[in-house]
Amino acid sequence: MRDHPGLSRRRLLGVSAAALGGLALGQAPAAAADWPAIFYAPHQDDESIAMAGAIRAHKEAGRPVYLVLLSRGENGGLIDIINGNCNLGADCPAGDPGHRIELSLDDIVTTRTAEFTAAAHRLGVDRVINMRHPDSAWTDYPGFVQYVRETILDFETRYPGASHKLVSGWRDVIHGGDPADPNKTHAACRDAAESLRDRISDFRYYWVYGYTYPPAERTADHVVPLTPAQHARKRQALAEYRRWDPANGRYALGYHSVRLMIDPAAADPHEYLDVPR
């Protein structure tokens, strides 16, 4: 359903701008005024697709924003696309659907993380934390859930009272896909958060794969409109994932991987927010 008229910006952000101050990573908060908003990205690109507007809203309220990259984002499929043939036809960022680049899996991780860091800079994130953890949810789902759970608990211990923003997880199924088969890394993040509901109350979930649906089918507990300034910053962040600049190690990996989400997210001035049941 659409955003409820009683859901104020203050309630969405948790606290008012006047009460907030800065906080350096590793410091314990002196008071509630220092509580950061912590955003967790399962992969490089999830933060810009699903949560860029929310990041900007918290920044505009004066709240410290930390962005945590939960996995290295290894993606063997991207090696096939980059080192073989671009699958985007005329939309290929290189302007050459037949391009061939020689990237290793480590190169893929490094390049994806460069895109992530550049997007975070566009959004004005205060701290970027790269956990450098293997994207192992596909091979060890319980282990990955436990790792994410411990990561969230660690940040909550360092910053008690922080708000925690993740992806929708179980709903992250590409349009037309099997609802029983979500992206496992995304689903593991949601499972980890849900396992902490008795200890942490302030979770919010943002729908990444919703942008693969037609606009009329995109829904959530709250459909949050972005201001023109927030939407502009979101488009700037997403543009980092389509930057083709091989001389500087940029190969538009995000766009080669998830153009079906990046383009609709850039065009849609809304974000899709679920709250725990």
Side-chain angles (χ1 to χ4, degrees):
M1 66 181 178
R2 291 283 162 179
D3 192 14
H4 191 281
L7 187 69
S8 68
R9 180 171 300 277
R10 179 187 177 94
R11 184 174 164 198
L12 269 175
L13 301 185
V15 288
S16 68
L20 296 168
L23 183 63
L25 188 62
Q27 293 179 338
D34 297 318
W35 293 348
I38 304 175
F39 289 78
Y40 302 86
H43 304 107
Q44 304 91 332
D45 63 38
D46 292 318
E47 81 299 328
S48 295
I49 294 170
M51 302 183 286
I55 288 171
R56 288 306 307 165
H58 283 79
K59 285 293 300 176
E60 290 165 6
R63 193 169 184 184
V65 172
Y66 300 163
L67 178 59
V68 182
L69 179 58
L70 289 169
S71 85
R72 295 180 73 240
E74 304 94 329
N75 188 328
L78 272 173
I79 290 182
D80 296 335
I81 293 170
I82 293 296
N83 294 356
N85 290 309
C86 175
N87 61 354
L88 302 179
D91 292 325
C92 183
D96 175 16
H99 67 68
R100 290 189 62 84
I101 307 295
E102 297 299 327
L103 297 184
S104 68
L105 192 57
D106 283 344
D107 293 333
I108 293 289
V109 171
T110 298
T111 302
R112 292 190 77 188
T113 304
E115 294 174 352
F116 174 83
T117 303
H121 177 73
R122 293 285 190 180
L123 295 172
V125 169
D126 295 283
R127 293 286 185 272
V128 176
I129 301 99
N130 184 355
M131 301 301 294
R132 296 182 173 83
H133 191 280
D135 187 6
S136 55
W138 302 87
T139 57
D140 180 15
Y141 189 86
F144 195 86
V145 170
Q146 182 61 24
Y147 148 68
V148 176
R149 174 187 166 89
E150 290 172 356
T151 299
I152 296 172
L153 278 175
D154 178 58
F155 280 103
E156 175 65 17
T157 298
R158 283 194 266 173
Y159 312 110
S163 62
H164 302 269
K165 325 292 184 182
L166 298 98
V167 296
S168 284
W170 310 323
R171 296 211 302 148
D172 281 340
V173 179
I174 198 164
H175 190 234
D178 182 357
D181 186 28
N183 182 299
K184 293 187 185 302
T185 310
H186 290 210
C189 294
R190 177 70 177 254
D191 278 338
E194 289 294 294
S195 75
L196 293 169
R197 289 272 305 284
D198 61 335
R199 301 179 63 173
I200 303 173
S201 61
D202 196 351
F203 283 116
R204 296 291 183 270
Y205 303 108
Y206 291 82
W207 196 15
V208 179
Y209 280 69
Y211 293 104
T212 66
Y213 289 70
E217 296 179 28
R218 298 173 196 165
T219 187
D221 291 338
H222 304 289
V223 178
V224 182
L226 307 183
T227 67
Q230 291 163 0
H231 193 204
R233 285 288 197 116
K234 179 166 188 162
R235 290 195 300 270
Q236 291 171 12
L238 289 168
E240 295 294 342
Y241 287 99
R242 62 180 301 163
R243 178 180 166 190
W244 181 265
D245 184 9
N248 290 295
R250 298 291 294 277
Y251 300 97
L253 294 187
Y255 198 70
H256 281 95
S257 177
V258 289
R259 174 179 64 95
L260 293 179
M261 286 178 271
I262 286 178
D263 282 345
D268 187 346
H270 302 89
E271 287 182 343
Y272 299 86
L273 167 66
D274 288 336
V275 295
R277 295 289 187 265

